[in-house]
Amino acid sequence: MRDSLGVYLSVPFCKAKCSFCNFASDAFAPERMDGYVARLCAEIRSARQIAAERGVVVPQTVDSVYFGGGTPSLLGVDKFEEIFAALRGEFDVVTNAEITMECAPGQIAETSLQAAMRLGVSRVSLGVQSFVDRESAAVGRLHTGIQCENEIARLRSLGLDVGFDLICGLPHQTCESWRESLRRAVATGAHHVSVYMLEVDEDSRLGRELIGPGVRYGAGMVPDDGAVAEMYLEACDVLAEGGLAQYEISNFAREDHQSRHNRKYWERAPYLGFGLDAHSMLPDEQGRAARFSNGDELDAYLSEADPVSVERVEDAEAFEEKVFLGLRLNEGVEAALLADVHGAVDEMVQGGLMWSANGRFGLTARGRVVSSSVFGELLAVPA
């Protein structure tokens, strides 16, 4: 539904900060939750005014809602009710809306879960990262593999769509331990799995240590790039054999269980973010795309001291977005989109990094591993 809106709600509170995390989430004091939710709801209620001030158009109908974090499952019953009241007071949330909540295994209170489900949450995304305890502990996760398996079984028994994240490239990870995580992942019967290759980011503790170097967060035990690439390719094979078909570079799902909300990002459909470090993309009054985001400092967000600037997406940037976002998806992009860079595309096809079929171009398995380089090559060619 291109005319419908996806809503992202940022809940940046965690019990512990993972060493690889570069998001604005943190182990903020729990007592700050009340003020945060009040500010979040006020932002939702002022959405139309904000849109008018920024010259952007906000669709009235919402067909996907995503509670991201942080750990949104830490919200209490009253906080869920407050947020949903604000959301449904401003937007028409369709009956079959996909409503997703990110959770940490072992940190989902039964009362909060039941309240979330009563209010419409139908999908849960768990931050598993690894089913191997040594690897989880090394990056600051507070759960065990057994707890993850039990949590997934519990959530599935309640009729929820259940997915989780895995990361290849964690400290202490080996090809053998990665296979164990993949085997256990398939055995859970989960509906959706996201697989990410560890990214070195200077804004995370592990990233700073890898650049540093240092020893506190296990940087010396991180697999090399070649091993991580092999792990990713193995995940593609194992998950496919287990009934989880790849539909995007990092995402695998059983039939009819793809993330409708996340597809909005890749298809450049309208989405509106509320909360700390939340991002939005909406059409402006001329029909072009406009992007904007909230700041990533909690105090500034709570005091409304962080000004938000709107970035109009010009034609050249829109082309780039269509290329690198569209090529993330398994169906690729229409060949006409890449007509002006056909020489570079032909080289990629001949080199086995891209495929060509039925008037479309896409990335091969090898191309996905080096997707950043492929995008860079294509977008470096003057269109």
Side-chain angles (χ1 to χ4, degrees):
M1 298 174 69
R2 293 288 302 181
D3 295 330
S4 295
L5 181 69
V7 170
Y8 178 86
L9 299 161
S10 169
V11 183
F13 292 79
C14 298
K15 282 194 173 180
K17 180 82 167 177
C18 297
S19 66
F20 57 79
C21 180
N22 65 342
F23 297 147
S25 57
D26 210 336
F28 298 116
E31 57 267 22
R32 307 193 75 181
M33 186 82 80
D34 289 350
Y36 182 82
V37 171
R39 170 76 175 92
L40 181 71
C41 291
E43 188 183 3
I44 294 171
R45 287 190 288 268
S46 64
R48 302 291 167 189
Q49 176 187 340
I50 293 171
E53 292 172 353
R54 297 172 186 173
V56 296
V57 179
V58 181
Q60 180 63 31
T61 302
V62 170
D63 65 352
S64 72
V65 179
Y66 196 102
F67 283 83
T71 310
S73 54
L74 295 177
L75 290 168
V77 173
D78 58 332
K79 297 295 178 287
F80 273 118
E81 292 175 341
E82 194 176 339
I83 293 170
F84 273 98
L87 187 62
R88 291 195 166 107
E90 297 298 324
F91 298 97
D92 298 329
V93 182
V94 301
T95 303
N96 65 339
E98 177 192 84
I99 304 181
T100 306
M101 177 175 65
E102 287 187 350
C103 303
Q107 297 180 34
I108 316 172
E110 186 66 27
T111 52
S112 294
L113 179 60
Q114 292 298 329
M117 292 176 63
R118 175 171 51 80
L119 291 164
V121 170
S122 57
R123 191 170 178 274
V124 168
S125 179
L126 290 166
V128 172
Q129 319 309 355
S130 173
F131 284 94
V132 177
D133 294 350
R134 185 185 188 192
E135 296 166 10
S136 298
V139 293
R141 304 302 287 171
L142 301 178
H143 56 253
T144 65
I146 294 290
Q147 284 178 314
C148 292
E149 291 166 332
N150 291 341
E151 197 75 276
I152 293 166
R154 169 197 173 203
L155 295 170
R156 288 191 62 208
S157 72
L158 295 172
L160 289 162
D161 274 10
V162 183
F164 53 82
D165 299 343
L166 293 176
I167 295 179
C168 49
L170 295 174
H172 304 293
Q173 198 169 63
T174 65
C175 292
E176 290 74 20
S177 68
W178 178 240
R179 291 189 191 103
E180 179 183 346
S181 275
L182 292 175
R183 176 186 60 77
R184 294 170 72 174
V186 170
T188 65
H191 304 100
H192 192 283
V193 176
S194 298
V195 175
Y196 301 104
M197 292 182 278
L198 181 70
E199 294 184 4
V200 177
D201 192 299
E202 63 182 11
D203 290 331
S204 72
R205 292 173 293 174
L206 179 58
R208 288 193 295 270
E209 186 171 283
L210 282 163
I211 296 168
V215 296
R216 182 178 179 186
Y217 300 109
M221 303 302 296
V222 170
D224 62 34
D225 291 345
V228 172
E230 289 301 317
M231 290 176 188
Y232 169 80
L233 291 172
E234 184 169 17
C236 295
D237 292 338
V238 172
L239 294 176
E241 292 168 3
L244 291 142
Q246 186 172 26
Y247 67 98
E248 190 268 346
I249 284 180
S250 300
N251 288 276
F252 306 75
R254 300 190 189 278
E255 188 173 358
D256 297 326
H257 289 283
Q258 294 184 13
S259 171
R260 285 156 46 191
H261 182 84
N262 285 344
R263 284 195 73 102
K264 289 183 181 291
Y265 302 145
W266 306 315
E267 295 173 353
R268 303 183 76 246
Y271 57 90
L272 181 56
F274 297 107
L276 190 68
D277 201 27
H279 293 246
S280 304
M281 189 184 83
L282 296 170
D284 67 13
E285 293 163 349
Q286 287 74 46
R288 298 176 303 169
R291 294 186 180 276
F292 51 94
S293 62
N294 290 333
D296 59 4
E297 293 294 333
L298 182 60
D299 289 337
Y301 174 75
L302 292 176
S303 64
E304 303 181 48
D306 227 346
V308 177
S309 59
V310 177
E311 175 190 347
R312 307 293 168 177
V313 181
E314 302 298 336
D315 290 346
E317 187 177 358
F319 165 74
E320 292 182 359
E321 290 181 0
K322 290 176 183 177
V323 170
F324 72 75
L325 292 174
L327 285 176
R328 291 188 65 90
L329 292 164
N330 270 31
E331 57 261 37
V333 299
E334 292 184 1
L337 179 64
L338 299 177
D340 290 336
V341 292
H342 63 86
V345 173
D346 289 344
E347 288 185 15
M348 296 289 182
V349 172
Q350 293 170 12
L353 299 179
M354 294 182 69
W355 54 259
S356 173
N358 302 318
R360 302 186 72 85
F361 291 115
L363 297 179
T364 64
R366 282 183 54 211
R368 293 187 193 110
V369 172
V370 293
S371 58
S372 294
S373 297
V374 173
F375 300 154
E377 289 289 332
L378 293 177
L379 298 177
V381 178

